[in-house]
Amino acid sequence: MEKKLIPEHLKLATLDSQGLTQNTPFGSGKNAVLTALEHLGYIQIDTLSMVERAHHHTLWVRIPDFQADYLEKLVEERKVFEYWFHAASYLPIQDFRYVLPQMLTIKRGGSRYYNADPKVMEYVTDTIRNEGPKRARDFENESHKTGSWWNWKPAKLALERLFMQGDLMISGRSGMQKTYDLAERVLPSFINTTEPTPLEFAEYLVKTNLRAYGFTTLKQITHLRTGNDLKNNVNKVLQTMLEEGLISQGKIEGFSSVFVRNDVLDKTFDLKDSNIRLLSPFDNAIIHRDRIRQIFGFDFRLECYTPKEKRQYGYFCLPILFGDQFIGRVDCKAHRKEKKLELIHLHIENHTLDVELWLNPFIETVKRFAVFNNCESLILTKISPSKLSIPVKKELSGLKFKK
């Protein structure tokens, strides 16, 4: 029997499950990064750098004392690894076996996206086995040797294919520069490397979604994954959990069937946190655009891939979460040489909200965000609606501070 679900309760439930209702939901320091990853399931990696990159930004929002080298250290300690979730991601090493189906599919030739010359793959593998970990640029240098019969591009393709099929793993990073090593030298010996059955894989996806979001749908569980077999197995897992009384099924406007953890349904939320949070466009909390639109009434999309003349809000907007509401977005750029964070265009979309309620928390958050981006001053270039220009610019523009 389907239960009547209250959107306001689900809104708080998903923010709470995402670690966005408390200041330090996962603790502090390096251990908090691992705890957050194990809870959320993954953190998306992205190369865009208008502000601090997405994987650091997403963790900083939840871990106030986050430092970029925490992730690098966890990779070196073999507690975290990189692979493809729905995009390039950091994942907890405990979940390694659940990427094996994709690795083995690619290894068996089941993907047309990772073509590489077998001879170059053999050369790259032998070089790393004999000489140790390598970066792509190491092979770029090799390609300039007299008599070389390969060049950098085939070597790069070989590295990517060997990584995607699991023969190589990323053993470390320097910024966005990856270092590859043999998987057998990176993966801890205690890790389960048994390929999960299709039903086990479906169970992993279901439980990861329910843990990280509090409620979910079939569409969200299978996000960017295809195949009727997977959908059928996900449905089997959901039915089993319904029978065991772990979850309930219900409907809310705009969604097909929604599945909710029963402990979430029974939980009372007392949101006293009125902080502002500036989220990355790739934050786990907003990756499902339908969820955010239907539950929060916030229609978000990243416009950096949209032609300039068709952009509505800006190139790289960050959603602004105030308590349990998305009140707008801000297009940002960190001018690193000048150590200045520019708020190119601040859009406040909740026009009924008194500016005095959100302005001071917003100022405190953007100051912290500027420091996070190694900036020492802030400038606000434009704000909408224009009637907010005087009070907001008075508080923000030219504001200087030290780290």
Side-chain angles (χ1 to χ4, degrees):
M1 180 178 176
E2 289 191 340
K3 290 190 176 183
K4 183 178 180 181
L5 302 177
I6 304 170
E8 283 300 315
H9 188 83
L10 293 184
K11 181 191 293 188
L12 290 168
T14 200
L15 290 176
D16 188 66
S17 297
Q18 276 289 301
L20 295 174
T21 60
Q22 303 171 49
N23 286 327
T24 55
F26 302 113
S28 60
K30 186 180 67 174
N31 289 338
V33 174
L34 182 59
T35 302
L37 265 172
E38 290 175 345
H39 178 82
L40 297 173
Y42 76 98
I43 294 291
Q44 184 169 335
I45 301 169
D46 197 81
T47 58
L48 293 172
S49 60
M50 294 293 287
V51 293
E52 183 61 70
R53 288 190 170 92
H55 41 292
H56 295 152
H57 186 170
T58 298
L59 289 165
W60 171 82
V61 167
R62 295 160 174 82
I63 304 167
D65 67 345
F66 174 78
Q67 296 177 27
D69 66 350
Y70 289 161
L71 267 175
E72 295 168 13
K73 288 177 180 176
L74 287 168
V75 170
E76 291 169 3
E77 292 169 6
R78 310 304 185 231
K79 294 177 181 177
V80 166
F81 74 107
E82 292 187 37
Y83 196 64
W84 200 265
F85 194 67
H86 67 268
S89 301
Y90 285 104
L91 299 101
I93 199 74
Q94 67 183 24
D95 291 348
F96 178 81
R97 71 184 294 242
Y98 298 106
V99 304
L100 284 171
Q102 184 168 349
M103 285 180 172
L104 294 174
T105 295
I106 293 169
K107 193 162 191 172
R108 293 162 185 156
S111 174
R112 60 187 174 86
Y113 295 108
Y114 301 101
N115 293 321
D117 187 320
K119 290 183 178 179
V120 181
M121 288 171 63
E122 183 179 0
Y123 167 76
V124 167
T125 302
D126 288 344
T127 301
I128 291 174
R129 177 177 290 111
N130 295 328
E131 299 180 12
K134 294 286 185 183
R135 300 163 298 176
R137 66 192 297 180
D138 296 326
F139 292 97
E140 180 182 12
N141 294 336
E142 285 283 327
S143 70
H144 297 303
K145 286 184 177 179
T146 303
S148 293
W149 51 270
W150 71 92
N151 59 42
W152 177 76
K153 188 174 180 181
K156 172 67 173 172
L157 290 173
L159 281 169
E160 287 298 315
R161 171 66 186 253
L162 289 163
F163 167 71
M164 289 301 298
Q165 70 182 34
D167 292 324
L168 298 181
M169 291 181 71
I170 294 169
S171 60
R173 265 184 185 266
S174 177
M176 296 305 291
Q177 187 72 232
K178 296 174 282 191
T179 300
Y180 298 87
D181 199 357
L182 300 180
E184 64 204 55
R185 296 201 293 230
V186 176
L187 195 64
S189 59
F190 61 83
I191 294 299
N192 185 350
T193 55
T194 305
E195 183 180 5
T197 65
L199 194 61
E200 285 177 324
F201 181 69
E203 183 178 24
Y204 160 72
L205 291 179
V206 170
K207 291 184 175 179
T208 297
N209 269 266
L210 286 167
R211 183 181 65 243
Y213 296 101
F215 75 94
T216 192
T217 65
L218 177 63
K219 181 179 179 181
Q220 288 164 11
I221 294 167
T222 57
H223 181 58
L224 297 181
R225 299 175 191 275
T226 58
N228 287 328
D229 287 345
L230 177 60
K231 290 181 179 178
N232 291 336
N233 281 317
V234 165
N235 275 320
K236 285 180 186 177
V237 173
L238 289 168
Q239 290 305 311
T240 299
M241 294 181 76
L242 284 167
E243 291 167 7
E244 292 174 349
L246 298 173
I247 61 174
S248 293
Q249 186 174 0
K251 281 195 174 181
I252 53 176
E253 187 178 351
F255 286 101
S256 54
S257 289
V258 172
F259 300 91
V260 192
R261 295 193 339 247
N262 282 339
D263 62 311
V264 163
L265 281 177
D266 298 335
K267 189 170 182 178
T268 300
F269 300 99
D270 183 17
L271 183 62
K272 295 178 180 177
D273 184 356
S274 60
N275 286 345
I276 290 279
R277 289 175 171 82
L278 299 180
L279 302 185
S280 165
F282 302 99
D283 193 289
N284 299 48
I286 61 164
I287 205 66
H288 299 295
R289 309 304 196 210
D290 290 348
R291 172 195 295 269
I292 295 301
R293 184 173 59 253
Q294 296 295 340
I295 298 295
F296 293 90
F298 185 63
D299 192 4
F300 179 78
R301 66 175 179 144
L302 182 60
E303 295 185 309
C304 63
Y305 306 112
T306 303
K308 186 176 181 179
E309 64 276 8
K310 294 184 179 181
R311 290 176 199 148
Q312 183 179 359
Y313 296 105
Y315 182 84
F316 199 75
C317 280
L318 313 182
I320 304 170
L321 178 65
F322 178 47
D324 64 350
Q325 314 175 53
F326 286 93
I327 64 169
R329 64 200 86 195
V330 57
D331 189 22
C332 290
K333 179 176 176 59
H335 300 276
R336 293 176 175 87
K337 288 184 179 179
E338 297 89 349
K339 293 187 176 293
K340 177 176 68 178
L341 178 67
E342 180 183 7
L343 309 183
I344 300 167
H345 195 164
L346 171 61
H347 303 264
I348 299 299
E349 296 157 53
N350 186 332
H351 297 165
T352 63
L353 192 63
D354 190 334
V355 66
E356 292 183 2
L357 292 177
W358 60 264
L359 183 53
N360 284 336
F362 180 76
I363 290 169
E364 290 306 310
T365 297
V366 294
K367 282 169 63 178
R368 285 187 56 245
F369 189 64
V371 171
F372 176 56
N373 281 273
N374 292 311
C375 293
E376 296 178 355
S377 66
L378 278 165
I379 184 168
L380 173 62
T381 303
K382 185 178 180 182
I383 184 169
S384 295
S386 58
K387 67 180 182 180
L388 296 175
S389 183
I390 293 175
V392 177
K393 280 192 173 183
K394 179 182 176 183
E395 298 293 335
L396 268 180
S397 288
L399 189 63
K400 294 183 183 294
F401 43 87
K402 290 274 183 155
K403 189 170 181 178

